[in-house]
Amino acid sequence: GTLAGVVEYRNVTFAYPGAESPVLSNISFTAQPGQTIAIIGSTGSGKTSLLSLLPRLYDPAEGEVLLDGVPVSRMDRADITRRVALVPQRPYLFSGTIEHNLRFGKTDATDQELWEALQVAQGDEFVRAKKNGLGSRISQGGTNVSGGQRQRLCIARALVSRPRVYLFDDSFSALDVATDARLRAALKGITADATVIIVAQRISTITEADQILVLDNGRIVDRGTHQELLETSPTYQEIVES
Ligand code: DCP
Ligand code: MG
């Protein structure tokens, strides 16, 4: 049968509540299970806003966001959360143990599943090095772990929840290039039949994406593979050269 996790944005226009002009205009694209779609664009171009519409942090003014053919506006939030994991640009940890943080979306995960997720997220070593391992305490907001560690724990949390759709908002740019590459290689296996949407800063993070959407001022100005965009998109060329 068909794998669930088809994401479709259909002519989506969105303005923040109270704002006069839209931050996203006429966004249309489809992401299929097994695919990686990358979104790139300058700061303020609307990348985070675009991702936020799938888990319904906001609803668009016009157009529709669909998950497996059903408008998310007609779905239960809990149902969406079960199927879509968003790793936010500013990853958030709760006060409690590392284990609690990792099990957040899937309380029945086994310890082995937690360690596997940590391994993929390149976070197993630092957790293992802690005296209390998975039982180590995280302070409110995760201030007692580094930014990079926080990011890895949030990636691991998403992996533990085994969603159909992964949304990574700039989740790899704080990692050094080698760790980023290792993480994405490990990620490939675990997300092989899932739908992956990645917002990225670094071109090397997304060269293998099935499709790259180039966002400029809330519009998709170009789309294609890395190679296609190198040949056709001045905006993409600018990003590559910057
Ligand atoms: N914006 C807003 N209210 C919010 C969030 C954003 O008015 N709660 C505005 C700020 C920007 C525009 O929306 O003008 C797009 O913001 P995004 O956060 O979507 O932009 P990016 O994610 O592309 O930027 P960055 O690369 O800095 O993360
Ligand atoms: Mg952003």
Side-chain angles (χ1 to χ4, degrees), residues 14-17 19 21-24 39-52 58 89-90 169-170 199-201 215 217-218:
F14 168 65
Y16 281 98
S21 47
V23 292
L24 295 171
I39 300 166
I40 199 154
S42 58
T43 181
S45 58
K47 305 179 296 295
T48 296
S49 306
L50 190 156
L51 291 188
S52 74
Y58 297 95
Q89 190 166 15
R90 287 197 202 79
D169 193 350
D170 213 1
V199 166
Q201 300 278 349
L215 211 58
N217 204 8

Side-chain angles (χ1 to χ4, degrees), residues 13-242:
T13 293
F14 168 65
Y16 281 98
E20 285 189 4
S21 47
V23 292
L24 295 171
S25 303
N26 206 28
I27 299 289
S28 294
F29 70 92
T30 305
Q32 302 282 353
Q35 284 190 329
T36 297
I37 304 297
I39 300 166
I40 199 154
S42 58
T43 181
S45 58
K47 305 179 296 295
T48 296
S49 306
L50 190 156
L51 291 188
S52 74
L53 302 179
L54 182 59
R56 291 193 65 199
L57 303 182
Y58 297 95
D59 286 324
E62 287 169 43
E64 237 158 11
V65 177
L66 304 108
L67 182 55
D68 294 321
V70 180
V72 291
S73 59
R74 281 200 238 131
M75 289 172 60
D76 212 45
R77 261 168 226 277
D79 190 21
I80 302 170
T81 313
R82 216 164 18 80
R83 293 153 74 182
V84 177
L86 167 66
V87 181
Q89 190 166 15
R90 287 197 202 79
Y92 190 82
L93 296 174
F94 308 96
S95 76
T97 61
I98 288 179
E99 181 175 345
H100 287 141
N101 271 278
L102 295 179
R103 282 186 206 278
F104 178 70
K106 191 168 182 288
T107 46
D108 62 347
T110 64
D111 275 13
Q112 195 188 335
E113 287 175 303
L114 302 188
W115 282 112
E116 275 167 14
L118 282 170
Q119 201 172 352
V120 171
Q122 310 296 304
D124 54 323
E125 274 179 36
F126 96 86
V127 176
R128 228 182 284 281
K130 283 186 171 291
K131 189 164 60 106
N132 294 318
L134 289 172
S136 308
R137 293 205 71 81
I138 300 286
S139 59
Q140 179 76 41
T143 47
N144 63 338
V145 294
S146 78
Q149 289 167 345
R150 189 154 60 225
Q151 207 158 30
R152 293 171 207 206
L153 289 175
C154 288
I155 293 167
R157 174 199 287 155
L159 294 170
V160 167
S161 73
R162 294 271 168 177
R164 297 301 317 150
V165 182
Y166 291 90
L167 305 176
F168 293 110
D169 193 350
D170 213 1
S171 305
F172 312 115
S173 48
L175 308 172
D176 62 77
V177 175
T179 308
D180 177 10
R182 267 205 311 280
L183 197 158
R184 282 180 298 102
L187 207 56
K188 262 194 196 150
I190 203 165
T191 64
D193 359 288
T195 307
V196 179
I197 303 180
I198 296 184
V199 166
Q201 300 278 349
R202 211 160 34 211
I203 295 288
S204 67
T205 310
I206 59 160
T207 47
E208 288 168 36
D210 297 289
Q211 179 161 235
I212 300 166
L213 309 176
V214 183
L215 211 58
D216 186 22
N217 204 8
R219 294 175 185 276
I220 299 176
V221 292
D222 289 304
R223 66 181 82 202
T225 62
H226 173 67
Q227 204 52 47
E228 287 163 356
L229 289 169
L230 280 181
E231 289 161 18
T232 60
S233 170
T235 315
Y236 191 71
Q237 288 157 11
E238 258 174 53
I239 297 168
V240 171
E241 282 156 20
S242 66

